[in-house]
Coordinates of all heavy atoms in Angstrom, one line a residue:
S375 N -154.6 -147.3 -246.3 CA -153.6 -146.7 -245.5 C -153.4 -145.2 -245.9 O -153.6 -144.9 -247.0 CB -152.3 -147.4 -245.6 OG -151.7 -147.3 -246.9
L376 N -152.9 -144.4 -244.9 CA -152.6 -143.0 -245.3 C -151.3 -142.6 -244.6 O -151.2 -142.7 -243.3 CB -153.8 -142.1 -244.8 CG -153.6 -140.6 -245.1 CD1 -153.7 -140.4 -246.6 CD2 -154.7 -139.8 -244.4
R377 N -150.3 -142.2 -245.4 CA -149.1 -141.7 -244.8 C -148.8 -140.3 -245.4 O -149.4 -139.9 -246.4 CB -147.9 -142.6 -245.1 CG -148.0 -143.9 -244.3 CD -146.8 -144.8 -244.5 NE -146.9 -146.0 -243.8 CZ -146.1 -147.1 -244.1 NH1 -145.2 -147.0 -245.0 NH2 -146.3 -148.2 -243.4
I378 N -147.9 -139.6 -244.7 CA -147.5 -138.3 -245.1 C -146.0 -138.2 -245.4 O -145.2 -138.7 -244.6 CB -147.9 -137.3 -244.0 CG1 -149.5 -137.2 -243.9 CG2 -147.3 -135.9 -244.3 CD1 -150.0 -136.3 -242.8
C379 N -145.7 -137.6 -246.5 CA -144.3 -137.3 -246.9 C -144.1 -135.8 -247.1 O -144.8 -135.3 -248.0 CB -143.9 -138.1 -248.1 SG -142.2 -137.8 -248.7
T380 N -143.3 -135.2 -246.3 CA -143.0 -133.8 -246.6 C -141.6 -133.5 -246.8 O -140.7 -134.1 -246.2 CB -143.5 -132.9 -245.4 OG1 -143.4 -131.5 -245.7 CG2 -142.7 -133.2 -244.1
L381 N -141.3 -132.6 -247.8 CA -139.9 -132.3 -248.1 C -139.3 -131.6 -246.9 O -138.2 -131.9 -246.4 CB -139.8 -131.5 -249.3 CG -138.3 -131.1 -249.6 CD1 -137.5 -132.3 -250.1 CD2 -138.2 -129.9 -250.7
L382 N -140.0 -130.5 -246.4 CA -139.4 -129.7 -245.3 C -140.3 -129.7 -244.1 O -141.6 -129.9 -244.2 CB -139.3 -128.2 -245.8 CG -138.5 -128.0 -247.1 CD1 -138.6 -126.5 -247.5 CD2 -137.1 -128.5 -246.9
N383 N -139.7 -129.5 -243.0 CA -140.5 -129.5 -241.7 C -139.9 -128.4 -240.8 O -138.7 -128.2 -240.7 CB -140.3 -130.8 -241.0 CG -141.0 -130.9 -239.7 OD1 -142.1 -130.3 -239.5 ND2 -140.4 -131.5 -238.7
K384 N -140.8 -127.5 -240.3 CA -140.4 -126.5 -239.4 C -140.9 -126.9 -238.0 O -142.0 -126.4 -237.6 CB -141.0 -125.1 -239.8 CG -140.3 -124.4 -241.0 CD -141.0 -123.0 -241.1 CE -140.6 -122.4 -242.4 NZ -141.5 -121.2 -242.7
P385 N -140.2 -127.6 -237.2 CA -140.7 -128.2 -236.0 C -141.1 -127.1 -235.0 O -142.1 -127.2 -234.2 CB -139.6 -129.0 -235.4 CG -138.5 -129.0 -236.4 CD -138.9 -128.1 -237.5
E386 N -140.4 -126.0 -235.0 CA -140.6 -124.9 -234.0 C -142.0 -124.2 -234.2 O -142.5 -123.5 -233.3 CB -139.5 -123.8 -234.1 CG -138.2 -124.2 -233.7 CD -137.1 -123.2 -234.3 OE1 -137.3 -122.0 -234.1 OE2 -136.1 -123.7 -234.9
R387 N -142.5 -124.3 -235.4 CA -143.8 -123.6 -235.7 C -145.0 -124.4 -235.5 O -146.1 -123.9 -235.7 CB -143.7 -123.2 -237.2 CG -142.5 -122.3 -237.5 CD -142.9 -120.8 -237.6 NE -144.0 -120.6 -238.5 CZ -144.6 -119.5 -238.7 NH1 -144.2 -118.4 -238.0 NH2 -145.6 -119.4 -239.5
R388 N -144.9 -125.7 -235.1 CA -146.0 -126.5 -235.1 C -147.1 -126.1 -234.0 O -146.8 -125.7 -232.9 CB -145.6 -128.0 -234.7 CG -146.6 -129.1 -235.0 CD -146.9 -129.2 -236.5 NE -145.8 -129.0 -237.4 CZ -144.9 -129.9 -237.7 NH1 -145.0 -131.1 -237.2 NH2 -143.9 -129.6 -238.5
E389 N -148.3 -126.0 -234.5 CA -149.5 -125.6 -233.6 C -150.3 -126.9 -233.4 O -150.9 -127.0 -232.3 CB -150.4 -124.6 -234.3 CG -149.7 -123.2 -234.4 CD -150.4 -122.3 -235.3 OE1 -151.6 -122.6 -235.7 OE2 -149.8 -121.2 -235.7
V390 N -150.5 -127.7 -234.4 CA -151.2 -129.0 -234.2 C -150.4 -130.2 -234.5 O -149.5 -130.1 -235.5 CB -152.5 -129.0 -235.1 CG1 -153.6 -128.1 -234.5 CG2 -152.2 -128.6 -236.5
D391 N -150.6 -131.2 -233.8 CA -149.8 -132.5 -234.0 C -150.3 -133.2 -235.2 O -151.5 -133.4 -235.4 CB -150.0 -133.4 -232.8 CG -148.7 -133.6 -232.0 OD1 -147.7 -133.2 -232.6 OD2 -148.7 -134.1 -230.9
V392 N -149.3 -133.5 -236.1 CA -149.7 -134.4 -237.3 C -148.6 -135.5 -237.4 O -147.4 -135.2 -237.3 CB -149.6 -133.6 -238.6 CG1 -150.4 -134.3 -239.7 CG2 -150.1 -132.2 -238.4

Side-chain angles (χ1 to χ4, degrees):
S375 68
L376 181 67
R377 288 187 183 164
I378 293 175
C379 175
T380 184
L381 177 71
L382 305 176
N383 179 38
K384 284 185 193 167
E386 292 163 51
R387 300 259 306 174
R388 199 61 37 83
E389 292 167 12
V390 286
D391 244 348
V392 197

